[in-house]
């Protein structure tokens, strides 16, 4: 996965790696902590450390509340090569995100997105227990490097929406679409793991990252988000009605019937009407 944005005209970019700019220390520390917790999991004597940091049902059963914040740095076991690739992708995208946001906003975004995701996931798990519903592999989708990668890519997709990312090194995709692709990938992973709480946690993390990076004057309120969802649903419904036999949508002009057409063209507002 590479991308073609060039943050500075004098900074050539090859395969998503920029030259001429020192990597931020904060990002290197984050990658180092992930590598450390990943390593600790492979030894019986030290695996207790990442196990105490990862998100588990003990966060509400025994009050281990620190897990709501520490789970992203508790790297989970995976193939060694894939783990290295994950760290490399984090480096590629994380550097641009860090230099764009600065240290304070970078960490605020990661912590805010992680906390929102964990709170929602835990709430879903608590509700499932109260309703006597079983969620297997709970929180597995959002542990460790999976959540960090999700938040960093979501941040890049928000900040550099028009950048071109070459998915699988060949397929050009606008960065903004990765907000939806992350949700799609999480859903595909959910189909295999059945971790509904983790899936909603991933979705929440993506949305929270997008929301936190909106300019303060442009952040939608809860009411505006609800109205946008209603509008989207109505637009989809109108599209379905267009396809039904015997229905057609006549665009309205936003005024009463004009000229000699009487009410034939007026329609109920700018959305038109069904005929």
């Amino acid at each position: 996965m590479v991308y073609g944005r060039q943050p500075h005209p004098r900074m050539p970019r090859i395969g998503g790696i920029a030259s001429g700019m020192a990597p931020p220390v904060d990002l290197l520390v984050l990658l180092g902590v992930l590598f450390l917790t990943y390593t600790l999991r492979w030894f019986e004597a030290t695996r207790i450390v990442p196990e105490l940091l990862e998100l588990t049902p003990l966060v509400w059963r025994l009050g281990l509340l620190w897990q709501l914040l520490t789970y992203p740095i508790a790297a989970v076991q995976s193939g060694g090569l894939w783990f290295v690739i994950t760290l490399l992708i984090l480096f590629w995208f994380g550097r641009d995100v860090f230099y764009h946001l600065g240290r304070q906003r970078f960490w605020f975004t990661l912590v805010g997105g992680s906390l929102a995701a964990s709170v929602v996931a835990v709430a879903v798990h608590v509700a499932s227990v109260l309703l006597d519903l079983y969620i297997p592999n709970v929180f597995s989708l959002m542990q460790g490097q999976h959540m960090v990668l999700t938040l960093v890519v979501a941040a890049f997709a928000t900040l550099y929406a028009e950048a071109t990312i070459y998915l699988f090194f060949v397929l050009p995709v606008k960065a903004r679409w990765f907000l939806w692709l992350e949700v799609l990938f999480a859903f595909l992973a959910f189909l295999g793991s059945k971790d509904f709480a983790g899936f909603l946690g991933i979705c929440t993390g993506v949305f929270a990252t997008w929301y936190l990076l909106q300019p303060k004057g442009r952040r939608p309120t809860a009411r505006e988000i609800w109205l946008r969802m209603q509008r989207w649903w109505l637009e989809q419904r109108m599209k379905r009605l267009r396809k039904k036999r015997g229905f057609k949508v006549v665009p309205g002009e936003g005024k009463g019937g004009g000229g000699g057409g009487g009410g034939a063209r007026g329609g109920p507002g700018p959305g038109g009407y069904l005929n």
Side-chain angles (χ1 to χ4, degrees):
M1 183 186 300
V2 298
Y3 56 92
R5 193 188 65 80
Q6 207 166 356
H8 193 281
R10 296 181 181 179
M11 188 180 303
R13 181 173 293 279
I14 303 174
I17 301 178
S19 61
M21 181 182 289
V25 175
D26 296 59
L27 182 59
L28 295 180
V29 170
L30 176 60
L31 298 179
V33 170
L34 288 171
F35 185 83
L36 175 62
T37 54
Y38 177 83
T39 303
L40 294 178
R41 284 191 184 273
W42 293 94
F43 299 94
E44 193 66 30
T46 57
R47 64 184 308 170
I48 186 63
V49 176
E51 287 176 354
L52 286 175
L53 296 177
E54 70 182 12
L55 189 63
T56 68
L58 298 180
V59 69
W60 63 274
R61 294 184 185 274
L62 295 181
L64 307 185
L65 298 181
W66 66 80
Q67 294 182 353
L68 294 172
L69 288 173
T70 59
Y71 73 97
I73 62 173
V76 296
Q77 290 179 341
S78 60
L81 178 60
W82 175 244
F83 179 72
V84 172
I85 292 175
T86 300
L87 294 186
L88 183 59
I89 295 174
L90 280 173
F91 178 79
W92 286 349
F93 290 101
R95 176 160 54 181
D96 279 347
V97 171
F98 183 89
Y99 280 125
H100 188 285
L101 296 178
R103 173 174 292 156
Q104 184 175 356
R105 287 192 68 198
F106 176 80
W107 287 111
F108 178 77
T109 301
L110 288 187
V111 172
S114 300
L115 182 59
S118 60
V119 168
V120 169
V122 170
V124 171
H125 183 248
V126 172
S128 69
V129 172
L130 295 177
L131 296 174
D132 198 23
L133 301 175
Y134 175 64
I135 297 181
N137 306 308
V138 64
F139 309 138
S140 62
L141 293 183
M142 54 187 293
Q143 297 286 4
Q145 68 270 23
H146 301 318
M147 179 54 71
V148 180
L149 181 61
T150 296
L151 298 180
V152 169
V153 173
F156 184 93
T158 303
L159 296 171
Y160 304 110
E162 296 305 315
T164 299
I165 300 176
Y166 290 90
L167 188 62
F168 306 121
F169 297 95
V170 293
L171 182 62
V173 179
K174 288 294 184 182
R176 64 175 179 269
W177 287 106
F178 266 72
L179 294 171
W180 297 106
L181 285 175
E182 287 193 307
V183 174
L184 174 61
F185 294 155
F187 177 74
L188 295 177
F190 157 72
L191 295 179
S193 66
K194 304 300 187 296
D195 177 18
F196 186 63
F199 168 67
L200 290 186
I202 290 288
C203 295
T204 301
V206 172
F207 173 77
T209 301
W210 171 85
Y211 183 82
L212 290 172
L213 295 180
Q214 297 303 303
K216 290 185 177 180
R218 294 175 54 190
R219 288 181 183 176
T221 63
R223 182 174 181 274
E224 289 173 337
I225 294 174
W226 174 247
L227 291 175
R228 289 182 185 181
M229 293 175 61
Q230 285 183 315
R231 178 179 179 181
W232 177 85
W233 183 84
L234 289 173
E235 289 176 350
Q236 300 307 309
R237 185 167 180 267
M238 294 293 286
K239 289 179 181 179
R240 290 195 297 269
L241 289 174
R242 288 190 186 101
K243 296 178 181 179
K244 287 186 177 180
R245 180 175 298 179
F247 289 91
K248 64 178 180 178
V249 177
V250 181
E253 297 177 353
K255 300 180 181 179
R265 287 174 175 256
Y273 67 93
L274 295 176
N275 192 8

